[in-house]
Amino acid sequence: MMISEGDLDQLAEIELQKDEEEQEELGEGPAPPGGSSWQDISHPYYDVARHGILQVTGDDNYGRKLIIFSCCCLPPSHQLNHQRLLEYLKYTLDQYVESDYTVVYFHYGLRSTNKPSLRWLRDAYKEFDRKYKKNLKALYVVHPTNFLRVLWSVFKPLIRHDEKLRAAQKGGPPPPAKVPPPRPPLPTQQFGVSLQYIRDKNKGALIPPVMSQTVSYLKEKGLRTEGIFRRSARVQLIRDIQKLYNLGKPVDYEEYEDIHVPAVILKTFLRELPQPLLTFPLYERVQDIVRVETSLRVTKVKQMIESIPEHNYIVLKYLVCFLHMVSQESIINKMSPSNLACVFAVNLIWPGQGSVSLNALAPLNIFTEILIEHYHMVFSSRSPPGQVLP
């Protein structure tokens, strides 16, 4: 028997009222994980982020980024623009979806006063295309109720509660997987080795071959591609190309007929460096950029990057010069310095311990945006001998 959307809405409301009655009997319930407020008004989605609905809290036992959605942090519906919430969700996930990640959904705290409509939930799900789903390795639903079963009938079981969660609660976490000892890198290795290693193995080349090849190709073919650096590519294809580079074999991007492939390879190369291009010591100083008066930030950024090692500076200048060129075509490619910063910030710098928290994203993005937008001013004085520009 077919159930109309109106009937589903009514059924969902009945079940949600039952949930509320149970919650009231149990008390206030568990507190939201992490902080529930956001103090940085410069965040592009401050109006949504300040509620603490979404938290990026580090990695799970398998090294996958852990993203938490807490219903108890949802304000009453009249206080929250749900379209903005959807944009904020995508904005946050865009930082991580090219690698494996895990989502934990805390259902407790969803009430009739703060729940989005079923129509919004259905439309929102359609917005999350394969880009967001392909690397989602685990979805944990905590505190499931009959209301969720109604949702499952809407989404035709798109979500499956992971039984491992209950098993872990009873028997503790699963034993860590055995990892074989690391093998020494190949002489031709490009990914996962230091800039110095690549330079030593490539006759002193200042710019790593994978960077020079992808940048050259993208300069020629991709400057006017809409959404360049925002799109993803097949994970297995990227791994195959990485393997070719690591084995010292040629890579011809014309074969793949997809301009987004070299774009993803460039980001992947930066992300897999043992130490970020901007170096670990600079991380805390970058976080302080939001405390610097706006008119002084360009000068401050210039001073900060002049403190990094010469080789890092050369490679950074090469990369940012190219990104500045991309931004000059933003009317066509839709990649302004701000948009490019959202993509590249987490690939240029991260902390020595742990991972980038959601709170840290705003200063990282601001810093990177200044690098790109004010390229000529930031890199105006320090000119190491032998530097190479795109």
Side-chain angles (χ1 to χ4, degrees):
M1 181 179 67
M2 297 294 292
I3 301 179
S4 69
E5 185 171 306
D7 290 338
L8 279 172
D9 267 316
Q10 186 176 6
L11 180 57
E13 189 65 32
I14 292 171
E15 294 298 339
L16 198 54
Q17 288 175 1
K18 292 179 182 178
D19 293 347
E20 290 181 29
E21 291 172 1
E22 291 179 5
Q23 289 174 19
E24 289 172 0
E25 291 176 4
L26 294 172
E28 293 184 356
S36 59
S37 63
W38 186 285
Q39 301 300 327
D40 186 4
I41 61 174
S42 66
H43 190 280
Y45 290 95
Y46 169 78
D47 56 317
V48 182
R50 65 192 178 91
H51 298 292
I53 302 163
L54 204 63
Q55 298 286 333
V56 181
T57 60
D59 298 339
D60 64 13
N61 290 337
Y62 301 96
R64 303 176 298 212
K65 194 63 61 182
L66 188 63
I67 300 171
I68 294 178
F69 187 100
S70 303
C71 287
C72 58
C73 293
L74 283 167
S77 296
H78 70 277
Q79 296 179 13
L80 180 66
N81 183 322
H82 287 121
Q83 182 59 36
R84 288 279 292 170
L85 173 60
L86 175 59
E87 293 171 3
Y88 172 55
L89 291 174
K90 295 175 68 174
Y91 167 86
T92 302
L93 290 175
D94 279 343
Q95 317 287 331
Y96 305 104
V97 294
E98 287 176 9
S99 301
D100 294 349
Y101 69 104
T102 294
V103 172
V104 179
Y105 169 79
F106 284 91
H107 181 64
Y108 188 95
L110 190 71
R111 297 175 177 270
S112 57
T113 56
N114 67 357
K115 75 173 181 68
S117 69
L118 293 186
R119 180 184 293 275
W120 181 88
L121 289 170
R122 185 185 59 197
D123 293 344
Y125 184 82
K126 293 177 182 177
E127 290 282 328
F128 290 99
D129 56 21
R130 184 176 178 276
K131 166 187 174 181
Y132 299 94
K133 299 170 188 175
K134 64 179 180 177
N135 288 333
L136 176 60
K137 298 305 179 185
L139 170 63
Y140 296 99
V141 180
V142 183
H143 311 300
T145 65
N146 285 333
F147 173 77
L148 287 180
R149 294 186 179 92
V150 176
L151 292 189
W152 291 338
S153 67
V154 176
F155 294 113
K156 298 178 181 177
L158 298 170
I159 301 173
R160 182 175 63 87
H161 181 57
D162 194 331
E163 294 296 333
K164 291 182 180 178
L165 180 61
R166 293 179 181 174
Q169 290 174 339
K170 293 180 179 179
K178 293 183 178 179
V179 180
R183 292 181 295 181
L186 298 169
T188 51
Q189 193 95 8
Q190 291 278 300
F191 290 85
V193 293
S194 68
L195 291 176
Q196 188 61 50
Y197 183 90
I198 297 173
R199 181 176 181 177
D200 291 344
K201 300 297 181 181
N202 288 272
K203 301 179 181 179
L206 294 174
I207 306 302
V210 64
M211 285 192 69
S212 59
Q213 187 174 358
T214 52
V215 167
S216 296
Y217 189 84
L218 290 167
K219 276 180 61 182
E220 181 182 355
K221 306 280 188 177
L223 289 181
R224 294 186 158 217
T225 300
E226 184 172 338
I228 191 68
F229 294 117
R230 276 201 175 276
R231 306 285 176 84
S232 57
R234 287 192 299 112
V235 173
Q236 189 56 52
L237 176 60
I238 297 304
R239 289 173 179 167
D240 290 343
I241 295 174
Q242 287 182 271
K243 185 176 181 180
L244 289 176
Y245 272 116
N246 288 338
L247 293 174
K249 295 182 178 180
V251 175
D252 182 4
Y253 287 113
E254 289 291 337
E255 294 180 5
Y256 305 106
E257 299 180 345
D258 184 355
I259 194 65
H260 299 289
V261 169
V264 173
I265 286 290
L266 178 58
K267 291 187 294 180
T268 303
F269 171 80
L270 294 168
R271 186 167 58 246
E272 293 192 5
L273 287 170
Q275 178 172 221
L277 188 55
L278 284 168
T279 73
F280 289 130
L282 204 63
Y283 182 80
E284 293 302 328
R285 296 175 61 191
V286 170
Q287 290 296 303
D288 291 335
I289 194 66
V290 293
R291 298 185 178 88
V292 178
E293 188 177 334
T294 303
S295 61
L296 302 176
R297 285 180 178 177
V298 175
T299 301
K300 185 64 176 178
V301 169
K302 177 182 174 64
Q303 293 171 349
M304 290 164 67
I305 66 161
E306 288 179 347
S307 69
I308 66 176
E310 180 176 305
H311 191 193
N312 291 62
Y313 184 93
I314 294 170
V315 176
L316 179 68
K317 185 173 183 178
Y318 176 86
L319 174 67
V320 177
C321 179
F322 166 62
L323 296 180
H324 180 75
M325 294 172 64
V326 174
S327 72
Q328 296 299 293
E329 302 288 347
S330 62
I331 293 178
I332 297 172
N333 63 33
K334 312 300 182 186
M335 295 305 290
S336 64
S338 176
N339 290 336
L340 287 167
C342 289
V343 173
F344 274 91
V346 292
N347 296 317
L348 291 179
I349 191 166
W350 54 85
Q353 299 292 329
S355 57
V356 177
S357 67
L358 197 56
N359 292 3
L361 281 177
L364 298 188
N365 290 347
I366 290 170
F367 185 91
T368 306
E369 182 179 352
I370 291 172
L371 282 179
I372 298 170
E373 183 173 1
H374 301 281
Y375 162 76
H376 293 291
M377 190 178 301
V378 170
F379 293 91
S380 61
S381 59
R382 179 175 169 180
S383 298
Q387 73 179 52
V388 182
L389 294 178

